[in-house]
Amino acid sequence: MIPACLSDDWILCPEREDISSEFTRLLTAAQEGGATIAECLMIARQLKRGEDQSWHREWKKLAQTNRHRAEAAFAEGHMATAQRNWLRALNYYGAAAMPLDQADERRWVAVLAMQECARRYLTARGPAGEVVTIPWVEDHALQGYFLPARSGRERAPTVICIGEPGHRKEEFLFKLAPHARERGLSMLALDLLGDQRDDYTDSLLQRRDLESSIASVMDYLETRDDVDFDRVAIVADGWGSSFVARAVLQEPRLAAAVCDGGLWDLHERSFFASRFAMSDLSIVPVPHAPLMASSADCPVLITLGEDGWLKADRARQIVQQSRLGSSDIMLKVFTAAETGAAQAHADNPSLANEYIFDWLETRLGAGQGI
């Protein structure tokens, strides 16, 4: 039975938006193997209202249970079961870390456990994945997980999956990797944090050159003999800034991109234009030129839900006004009737990711998976 504190909209605790959003994410992760609904509902029944520590304690305990189950299955040669349990364990460790302050040592302990589960998953996978370090700026390197396509060492089209500053890459292992694998794509899961703690996010947000990270990633992929470098795409997961869209402008080696297309940059330009009674957006100063207001050869897919932060009609208006003759920028809006309509498609990420990876499969000429 669903606990009384869980509403029809999967809102676990109405007074805590962060907890409710995380619980929704955990439930939707069950569709991709990052959780089980039964385990999520079990934890919901065990949580104590008003006691923040119970959230961390219960999810950590569940993560440890799945981790031990994975180790036992691995020892007995049951690779599929080991992989499934390590994926659930890393996701539950991430949930345990979520509400804790960035300076809380327990948060870092949970992150390290999450990363260890990810590494163990990579070793059990076939073909095995690997942890990669990519030089970026002088005092900081990127870290990623490279998951080769089923074809093994043959050159394969590859998708870079990266989140906003502060987002951890481990979620991509269950959220996006299956979609890439089924379509014969290799995947490089990345985050900007590297091996730093979560409080490094503040330093990242102060940088004005986040888009330069993508050039470093492309330089790295060009050295790999299992990557078809003419067929490399990028997926920016989540909405918070347009740094990937800005990278597309500067990176001619990308064959396709899924990102916000610079919508937030353009939205800000429009806001300032109206604020200062300016009708020409081109004279509004911004630090970077938005993708849709410039020329780019890379095909771009923009997806959003009609119930997200930026309303669909406004997004369509910005795209129409800013296209400037480009016909290779596609906007897909998910409606409430089909689900996937929430911000970042949080209510049904599977539906959105199927659409995204089908689009990538067509653009990259893939299709050698399952």
Side-chain angles (χ1 to χ4, degrees):
M1 183 177 72
I2 297 177
C5 63
L6 185 60
S7 76
D8 293 338
D9 293 326
W10 297 357
I11 298 176
L12 181 64
C13 299
E15 70 278 10
R16 289 289 301 273
E17 183 178 352
D18 58 339
I19 291 293
S20 295
S21 296
E22 180 67 1
F23 189 72
T24 298
R25 186 192 69 79
L26 287 158
L27 285 175
T28 57
Q31 299 175 169
E32 305 287 12
T36 69
I37 292 177
E39 287 178 321
C40 290
L41 296 181
M42 177 185 69
I43 296 299
R45 288 190 294 268
Q46 295 172 352
L47 292 174
K48 297 181 180 179
R49 273 193 181 275
E51 185 184 333
D52 291 348
Q53 301 307 319
S54 70
W55 174 276
H56 170 74
R57 182 176 60 250
E58 297 301 333
W59 287 110
K60 179 182 177 181
K61 186 188 302 182
L62 182 58
Q64 291 171 334
T65 297
N66 278 265
R67 185 177 183 177
H68 294 156
R69 194 183 297 132
E71 297 289 353
F74 183 80
E76 296 174 1
H78 303 306
M79 296 297 109
T81 298
Q83 291 178 59
R84 287 174 176 270
N85 280 274
W86 270 316
L87 288 177
R88 292 197 296 268
L90 71 85
N91 195 27
Y92 295 151
Y93 276 123
M98 186 278 300
L100 299 177
D101 185 83
Q102 291 183 347
D104 193 321
E105 188 65 21
R106 293 173 302 169
R107 182 183 181 108
W108 182 236
V109 170
V111 168
L112 291 176
M114 175 178 67
Q115 293 176 341
E116 178 59 24
C117 288
R119 294 187 183 97
R120 296 288 285 152
Y121 162 76
L122 294 178
T123 63
R125 186 181 179 274
E130 61 181 295
V131 180
V132 300
T133 300
I134 302 174
W136 176 22
V137 291
E138 183 176 349
D139 59 343
H140 184 64
L142 305 174
Q143 189 179 82
Y145 303 133
F146 186 84
L147 285 71
R150 284 180 176 273
S151 56
R153 297 298 299 178
E154 297 178 11
R155 292 186 180 273
T158 301
V159 178
I160 304 164
C161 299
I162 190 167
E164 294 299 324
H167 182 275
R168 292 282 179 185
K169 61 188 172 297
E170 284 72 26
E171 182 184 19
F172 298 150
L173 295 182
F174 61 82
K175 182 180 179 181
L176 302 180
H179 297 282
R181 184 182 180 90
E182 290 165 358
R183 293 163 178 81
L185 303 171
S186 294
M187 188 183 89
L188 176 60
L190 283 169
D191 58 42
L192 294 176
L193 286 166
D195 60 0
Q196 299 291 329
R197 295 180 180 236
D198 289 340
D199 55 9
Y200 189 70
T201 302
D202 295 336
S203 298
L204 288 171
L205 292 174
Q206 294 174 12
R207 300 193 66 93
R208 298 175 63 87
D209 63 344
L210 292 179
E211 58 271 21
S212 68
S213 62
I214 306 306
S216 297
V217 173
M218 294 297 287
D219 290 343
Y220 165 76
L221 289 177
E222 196 168 14
T223 68
R224 295 190 64 106
D225 60 8
D226 55 355
V227 171
D228 184 342
F229 198 66
D230 291 329
R231 296 189 289 169
V232 175
I234 188 167
V235 172
D237 189 69
W239 279 52
S241 72
S242 297
F243 85 92
V244 170
R246 296 194 296 268
V248 173
L249 282 173
Q250 303 172 13
E251 187 45 76
R253 296 174 290 181
L254 283 168
V258 182
C259 60
D260 82 339
L263 275 179
W264 281 113
D265 281 347
L266 283 165
H267 184 62
E268 291 174 0
R269 285 160 66 88
S270 178
F271 171 78
F272 285 114
S274 61
R275 188 74 176 267
F276 294 101
M278 297 175 179
S279 58
D280 184 0
L281 295 184
S282 66
I283 65 177
V284 181
V286 290
H288 304 277
L291 174 61
M292 291 185 297
S294 307
S295 59
D297 296 330
C298 178
V300 174
L301 171 65
I302 305 168
T303 71
L304 75 157
E306 66 174 0
D307 295 332
W309 297 340
L310 186 60
K311 298 306 178 184
D313 289 344
R314 179 63 181 142
R316 293 188 185 97
Q317 181 185 39
I318 293 175
V319 171
Q320 291 171 359
Q321 292 178 348
S322 308
R323 197 181 292 270
L324 298 182
S326 172
S327 60
D328 222 356
I329 297 177
M330 179 177 179
L331 173 64
K332 165 62 178 176
V333 177
F334 288 86
T335 67
E338 62 183 324
T339 71
Q343 175 64 26
H345 314 296
D347 56 326
N348 193 351
S350 298
L351 185 70
N353 289 329
E354 287 170 357
Y355 186 94
I356 287 169
F357 277 84
D358 283 349
W359 183 85
L360 288 172
E361 182 179 20
T362 299
R363 288 293 180 176
L364 299 180
Q368 300 301 313
I370 292 177

